[in-house]
Amino acid sequence: QLVESGGGLVQTGDSLRLSCAASVQRFSTYGMGWFRQTPGNHTELVAAISWSGGGTYYTDSVKGRFSISRDNAKNTTYLQMDSLTPEDTAVYYCAADRFTAAQAMGVSCCDYWGQGTQVTVSS
């Protein structure tokens, strides 16, 4: 239902844009989130956008560097990642939760999850 793309191997300071294509009905009714799982198996919510598109959430470590957006006409959510550091190395997962606001998303949610895309940042 959710397919991520855009991951890869980059150097410190580089940028990547992740995409999440959703094959769900009424995509606009889903809050969308990007989670990441580090090599140490720590999972955290990186960014989220409300189903209404009116609110966003970012974990502190990515504020000012990452930006989440959605295109409801294309059933797609994006995560623009700038100024990447080795600490951003993780598997990034896209998730969708019906009628959920950005602030309410958490690791125990969601209706749908993607398969993940690897992001590796070398120093």
Side-chain angles (χ1 to χ4, degrees):
Q1 301 275 7
L2 303 179
V3 179
E4 303 99 334
S5 61
L9 172 63
V10 296
Q11 296 183 331
T12 296
D14 286 350
S15 297
L16 280 175
R17 188 175 82 155
L18 305 183
S19 298
C20 172
S23 57
V24 297
Q25 293 198 359
R26 301 182 182 177
F27 173 75
S28 62
T29 64
Y30 285 85
M32 300 298 297
W34 286 96
F35 294 79
R36 65 185 178 187
Q37 186 174 51
T38 65
N41 280 332
H42 172 67
T43 301
E44 66 174 343
L45 175 63
V46 176
I49 186 165
S50 298
W51 68 276
S52 64
T56 57
Y57 164 87
Y58 297 96
T59 193
D60 285 345
S61 62
V62 308
K63 285 178 181 177
R65 301 189 298 122
F66 290 13
S67 177
I68 188 170
S69 61
R70 65 189 298 156
D71 185 339
N72 290 338
K74 295 182 178 180
N75 280 21
T76 301
T77 298
Y78 304 97
L79 184 67
Q80 177 67 40
M81 306 187 295
D82 298 325
S83 303
L84 286 162
T85 74
E87 287 68 38
D88 296 314
T89 294
V91 178
Y92 285 72
Y93 297 88
C94 174
D97 209 34
R98 197 88 186 271
F99 294 127
T100 299
Q103 300 291 343
M105 296 197 82
V107 295
S108 61
C109 83
C110 293
D111 296 322
Y112 301 103
W113 290 84
Q115 83 288 350
T117 186
Q118 177 70 47
V119 172
T120 303
V121 185
S122 65
S123 58

